[in-house]
Amino acid sequence: MEKLDACIRNHDREIEKMCNFHHQGFVDAITELLKVRADAEKLKVQVTDTNRRLQDAGKEVIAQTEEIIRCRVQQRNITTVVEKLQLCLPVLEMYSKLKEQMSVKRYYSALKTMEQLENLYLPRVSQYRFCQIMMENLPKLREEIKEISMSDLKDFLESIRKHSDRIGETAMKQAQQQKTFSTALQKQNNVNYGRNMHLGRNRILESKNEITLKRTFEDEDEHEEEVLTAQDLVDFSPVYRCLHIYSVLGDGEIFENYYRKQRRKQARLVLQPQSSMHETVEGYRRYFSQIVGFFVVEDHILHVTQGLVTRTYTDELWNMALSKIIAVLRTHSSYCSDPDLVLELKNLIVVFADTLQGYGFPVNRLFDLLFEIRDQYNETLLKKWSGLFRDIFEADNYSPIPVANEEEYRIVISKFPFQDPELDKQSFPKKLPMSQSVPQIYMQVKEFIYASLKFSESLHRSSTEIDDMLRKSTNLLLTRTLSSCLQNLIKKPHIGLTELVQIIINTTHLEQACKYLEDFISNITNISQLTVHTARLYGLSTFKDARHAAEGEIYTKLNQKIDEFIQIADYDWTMSESDGRASGYLMDLINFLRSTFQVFTHLPGKVAQTACMSACQHLSMSLMQMLLDSELKQISMGAIQQFNLDVIQCELFASSEPVPGFQGDTLQLAFIDLRQLLDLFMVWDWSTYLADYGQATSKYLRVNPSTALTLLEK
């Protein structure tokens, strides 16, 4: 502290020295300040007055300056707003355009506008709230567009589902018209009718022909109303819009899958037939029209869009449809019993196949199916003609056809190829050997050939194949239907010997007419019978079998008639002596045989001879059985004599040659067993019989010992 006090005292002395040193200057300064204070007061007053006056004068300037500042701020703000509006106006204009496009359903353009908004305009003004709202709305608008376009597509699919039959009907009509024109052109150029019009290598040429024909037709009918094509009936814009929209949105694959899935479903519905489809041709027509309409639409989509459907997809869909179509037709056509309906079905299938083949779909399997249906068609024809044949046979009088004059004769031979020079020499009136059923049967066979030909037309087969088909179907008619009708006719109980004889004559003439039927088929098909592969008609065997059956029936009926006469025989087996004349039943029987064999004069000689021999043998056997009947216990010699008189009448009948052509006593040999037996009993020559028995020169060689013993016991 002492040191500190000392230090303080030192500093105080230094300060005092310093003050003493500067005191005079300080006093001078204070004096100066006092002098300046008065001047400062004056200056202050002057400054204050000047400031006041300056403030008063600057108030207006300040106001104007503030106004200028405010105007410049406004001007800057306006400039800024204009600049921002110039950036925003295109956005707003594009958004307004987008709304307008949405309202008029220009969805594809709307998507393009959205794309421009997102990529070009909105990024420039992204800081504004309305832009954020727009950005949030754009995805919603896209979804709305997708939903609307999909709704339009669904409406389109529903529309073509409902109107596919009209589309198909139009396409089929046009295909049929083109085919008609092509056929006419072929005939003009001497091209064989029925050639396959749709072979791949000929398609380009045929297309040119069709175009030429179409132009010619349009030139000729230039004033007629233009016919709409199948594609003109459908508005495909919903498909295009939807495809473009989904493609732009990057969902093209989703759309393609959806479209194909829906069309497959529709294909299954189209291919589903009505349960009563087979009852009318309209049912088939509607079924085919729907299918054609479906594939016409798919073919159009294939060619006007890229990738929506592919050839592989349509081929797969067609193969699936074709299998279903064939199964449906095979099932439903089996119910058709009317040949006219089957023929109309065939024509529809041909038009159906030609139409789809024109669009590039393979249809060979359909033509293969037509061959199956052709067999069924032939079956229905055979059933129909079976009834026609039965009606003809029922209505026939089985008498030779009388012709009173040349005109009637010409009418008959115009229906049936009959030639007989001997008959031509006879004067009118005269009779043709066959009955009325022969020309009617011949005409019906020709009608059958025409009916069979109707099915063979337009099958894209050569004339040789058509000729072969006609001959095969005609052979079936002759060998199965007509043969069966003849067999049934022959077996009918009301058909007598006269009718059987006429049937044999009729079959002979029908057999001779078979060659004319072959010429008839050759003229239709322009195929010579000399061709190696040409089939022949089997009429020869058919009518031979019928004749043999009729001949057998003649033999049977003759024997039955003989049995009827034998049954009325009333012998008195105990009579003491004979009546001296033959029995009445036997004379009636012989008269019947004579008149019957006179009818046989028109039969071939062998038939009449066989019938006569068979009748005599059966008569001889029946008389023998009468003698040997187990119920007959006793016979008198008078009865033997009476029986001998009857046998003599039989021998006289046999020797009278009731049917010409027998050699020597061939017919009498039918009664040789009876004659030797009766001779043995009439002359009672038992010693000779016993002595010569077993020798070839025996007088009673044909007498069986057991037969002789039986009669001897009686």
Side-chain angles (χ1 to χ4, degrees):
M1 289 300 293
E2 289 178 357
K3 287 184 180 288
L4 181 61
D5 288 341
C7 185
I8 290 171
R9 285 190 300 272
N10 288 332
H11 281 294
D12 286 340
R13 284 192 299 270
E14 288 179 0
I15 291 171
E16 186 177 353
K17 289 178 181 179
M18 182 66 67
C19 288
N20 289 332
F21 179 78
H22 292 289
H23 176 72
Q24 188 62 40
F26 177 74
V27 171
D28 292 339
I30 292 299
T31 302
E32 283 293 327
L33 284 174
L34 289 175
K35 290 178 181 180
V36 172
R37 182 171 65 178
D39 294 332
E41 288 292 336
K42 291 179 182 180
L43 181 60
K44 178 179 179 182
V45 171
Q46 291 177 355
V47 169
T48 303
D49 182 57
T50 302
N51 180 61
R52 178 181 58 77
R53 285 186 288 107
L54 283 174
Q55 291 295 331
D56 292 339
K59 285 182 180 179
E60 184 177 355
V61 176
I62 291 172
Q64 292 178 354
T65 302
E66 289 178 350
E67 181 67 23
I68 290 173
I69 292 171
R70 186 176 63 81
C71 289
R72 287 182 177 177
V73 170
Q74 288 180 346
Q75 185 178 10
R76 186 173 64 248
N77 289 341
I78 289 172
T79 303
T80 303
V81 168
V82 170
E83 291 176 355
K84 298 303 181 183
L85 284 176
Q86 286 177 344
L87 288 175
C88 293
L89 277 177
V91 177
L92 296 173
E93 288 174 355
M94 292 298 290
Y95 195 80
S96 175
K97 181 181 178 182
L98 171 63
K99 287 293 186 179
E100 182 181 355
Q101 290 170 340
M102 291 288 293
S103 64
V104 296
K105 298 182 178 181
R106 295 174 57 194
Y107 302 117
Y108 180 71
S109 300
L111 288 175
K112 290 296 184 182
T113 303
M114 287 184 198
E115 185 177 352
Q116 290 179 346
L117 277 171
E118 285 181 325
N119 299 330
L120 183 61
Y121 293 97
L122 287 177
R124 299 174 182 174
V125 290
S126 58
Q127 68 273 22
Y128 299 110
R129 189 164 59 89
F130 77 89
C131 293
Q132 299 298 325
I133 296 173
M134 288 183 182
M135 292 293 290
E136 294 173 358
N137 284 338
L138 290 181
K140 297 178 181 178
L141 290 175
R142 283 195 176 92
E143 290 300 322
E144 182 181 351
I145 291 174
K146 287 178 65 175
E147 292 175 0
I148 293 173
S149 62
M150 184 57 70
S151 176
D152 290 344
L153 177 67
K154 291 178 179 177
D155 293 340
F156 166 80
L157 293 175
E158 181 64 24
S159 175
I160 61 173
R161 170 71 182 92
K162 291 180 179 178
H163 299 95
S164 60
D165 55 341
R166 184 186 170 197
I167 299 169
E169 185 177 357
T170 302
M172 290 171 69
K173 284 182 179 178
Q174 292 171 352
Q176 199 167 11
Q177 289 173 356
Q178 290 177 357
K179 182 179 179 182
T180 302
F181 292 136
S182 299
T183 303
L185 183 63
Q186 283 182 340
K187 288 183 177 180
Q188 291 175 1
N189 295 333
N190 295 323
V191 179
N192 289 334
Y193 181 66
R195 181 177 61 90
N196 190 336
M197 291 287 295
H198 300 278
L199 290 175
R201 61 182 182 181
N202 295 331
R203 183 158 187 175
I204 297 176
L205 177 61
E206 288 162 5
S207 298
K208 292 181 179 178
N209 290 338
E210 290 175 358
I211 293 172
T212 303
L213 286 168
K214 185 175 181 181
R215 289 175 178 171
T216 303
F217 180 70
E218 290 174 351
D219 291 339
E220 292 176 353
D221 301 300
E222 58 182 357
H223 299 294
E224 292 187 3
E225 183 179 356
E226 182 181 358
V227 179
L228 295 177
T229 63
Q231 290 81 3
D232 294 332
L233 299 173
V234 183
D235 179 16
F236 290 94
S237 57
V239 181
Y240 306 149
R241 286 198 301 268
C242 202
L243 175 60
H244 291 162
I245 287 168
Y246 273 75
S247 299
V248 169
L249 296 176
D251 294 334
E253 186 175 354
I254 295 175
F255 172 74
E256 292 171 8
N257 293 334
Y258 175 80
Y259 177 85
R260 295 180 185 181
K261 181 179 179 181
Q262 293 302 315
R263 290 297 279 166
R264 282 194 180 95
K265 289 181 180 179
Q266 289 189 346
R268 294 188 184 95
L269 292 175
V270 166
L271 295 171
Q272 192 66 30
Q274 299 262 342
S275 58
S276 59
M277 184 179 73
H278 62 278
E279 295 176 358
T280 61
V281 71
E282 286 303 320
Y284 288 108
R285 192 187 307 278
R286 180 174 176 80
Y287 180 67
F288 288 138
S289 297
Q290 289 178 342
I291 296 173
V292 170
F294 178 90
F295 282 100
V296 165
V297 170
E298 289 304 287
D299 181 76
H300 184 74
I301 293 293
L302 172 66
H303 288 90
V304 299
T305 61
Q306 294 181 352
L308 179 55
V309 296
T310 62
R311 176 56 68 182
T312 302
Y313 161 79
T314 55
D315 289 344
E316 178 186 350
L317 199 60
W318 169 244
N319 289 331
M320 181 273 292
L322 190 58
S323 299
K324 179 66 175 178
I325 293 167
I326 291 175
V328 167
L329 292 178
R330 187 176 283 129
T331 300
H332 283 262
S333 64
S334 62
Y335 296 115
C336 295
S337 57
D338 182 6
D340 294 333
L341 180 58
V342 178
L343 184 61
E344 289 181 345
L345 172 60
K346 166 258 173 182
N347 292 332
L348 279 177
I349 294 176
V350 170
V351 174
F352 173 73
D354 288 343
T355 303
L356 288 174
Q357 193 172 38
Y359 285 93
F361 296 99
V363 293
N364 291 335
R365 292 173 61 190
L366 283 174
F367 285 102
D368 293 338
L369 173 66
L370 281 175
F371 281 96
E372 297 180 23
I373 298 179
R374 182 201 65 190
D375 296 336
Q376 180 188 343
Y377 174 72
N378 285 336
E379 289 298 324
T380 59
L381 285 182
L382 292 175
K383 289 180 181 179
K384 179 179 179 181
W385 258 257
S386 177
L388 293 174
F389 289 154
R390 286 196 300 268
D391 294 341
I392 291 173
F393 289 139
E394 288 293 333
D396 195 8
N397 58 6
Y398 296 99
S399 300
I401 301 175
V403 287
N405 49 50
E406 181 72 22
E407 182 179 357
E408 292 182 4
Y409 179 73
R410 294 296 178 189
I411 291 174
V412 175
I413 63 174
S414 66
K415 298 178 181 178
F416 182 77
F418 174 75
Q419 295 179 353
D420 188 346
E422 295 298 328
L423 187 64
D424 291 342
K425 295 177 182 179
Q426 298 178 13
S427 60
F428 292 99
K430 53 188 175 183
K431 291 183 178 182
L432 304 181
M434 65 277 189
S435 66
Q436 192 63 47
S437 63
V438 172
Q440 292 177 353
I441 292 293
Y442 182 80
M443 292 299 295
Q444 285 302 326
V445 173
K446 292 176 68 175
E447 289 297 325
F448 176 88
I449 294 172
Y450 277 128
S452 182
L453 176 64
K454 289 180 181 179
F455 196 94
S456 301
E457 293 174 345
S458 304
L459 289 186
H460 302 167
R461 289 295 183 268
S462 65
S463 298
T464 303
E465 291 174 303
I466 293 176
D467 182 88
D468 187 59
M469 287 187 286
L470 286 180
R471 292 178 186 273
K472 287 181 178 179
S473 58
T474 306
N475 277 331
L476 279 177
L477 178 72
L478 296 176
T479 59
R480 198 172 77 183
T481 305
L482 183 55
S483 177
S484 176
C485 290
L486 285 170
Q487 296 291 343
N488 293 333
L489 174 68
I490 291 168
K491 297 295 182 182
K492 287 187 175 182
H494 70 276
I495 298 298
L497 290 170
T498 304
E499 288 79 5
L500 288 171
V501 171
Q502 188 62 56
I503 288 172
I504 292 176
I505 296 172
N506 290 349
T507 54
T508 301
H509 287 284
L510 287 172
E511 178 184 334
Q512 295 171 354
C514 282
K515 63 179 181 179
Y516 297 101
L517 289 176
E518 289 186 342
D519 294 339
F520 177 71
I521 294 175
S522 297
N523 290 334
I524 291 177
T525 59
N526 291 325
I527 298 298
S528 173
Q529 296 185 42
L530 301 178
T531 305
V532 176
H533 301 290
T534 301
R536 301 298 177 188
L537 297 184
Y538 301 143
L540 186 64
S541 60
T542 298
F543 298 119
K544 275 186 177 180
D545 294 342
R547 271 201 308 279
H548 291 160
E551 292 167 6
E553 195 66 19
I554 285 177
Y555 307 151
T556 301
K557 287 188 179 294
L558 267 177
N559 294 342
Q560 289 176 351
K561 201 66 177 177
I562 291 172
D563 292 340
E564 291 175 6
F565 280 101
I566 295 295
Q567 287 174 3
I568 63 175
D570 187 19
Y571 284 105
D572 181 6
W573 298 108
T574 60
M575 62 172 51
S576 58
E577 59 182 16
S578 67
D579 294 338
R581 53 189 175 83
S583 302
Y585 86 91
L586 187 68
M587 296 306 298
D588 292 340
L589 172 57
I590 291 175
N591 291 333
F592 164 76
L593 292 176
R594 288 186 188 279
S595 61
T596 299
F597 291 140
Q598 286 178 358
V599 177
F600 287 7
T601 54
H602 296 294
L603 288 176
K606 291 184 179 180
V607 177
Q609 293 169 15
T610 304
C612 185
M613 177 60 76
S614 173
C616 291
Q617 288 176 344
H618 185 73
L619 176 58
S620 176
M621 187 182 301
S622 298
L623 292 173
M624 181 71 76
Q625 290 297 327
M626 191 182 298
L627 288 176
L628 302 179
D629 189 359
S630 59
E631 295 182 0
L632 179 60
K633 304 298 182 182
Q634 185 177 358
I635 303 177
S636 65
M637 283 305 298
I640 291 291
Q641 293 171 356
Q642 182 63 41
F643 199 83
N644 183 58
L645 292 175
D646 293 343
V647 174
I648 290 173
Q649 289 299 322
C650 293
E651 291 172 332
L652 291 174
F653 169 74
S655 61
S656 66
E657 198 175 7
V659 173
F662 286 106
Q663 296 180 355
D665 56 353
T666 302
L667 194 57
Q668 290 93 314
L669 292 177
F671 300 97
I672 189 63
D673 292 355
L674 265 177
R675 170 49 50 209
Q676 291 187 9
L677 180 62
L678 290 175
D679 285 348
L680 175 62
F681 278 86
M682 292 295 295
V683 299
W684 210 254
D685 196 5
W686 292 95
S687 58
T688 303
Y689 174 71
L690 294 174
D692 295 342
Y693 178 72
Q695 297 182 13
T697 58
S698 173
K699 181 180 179 181
Y700 304 103
L701 179 64
R702 304 297 293 268
V703 177
N704 188 289
S706 61
T707 301
L709 180 60
T710 300
L711 187 57
L712 182 60
E713 289 175 350
K714 295 183 178 185

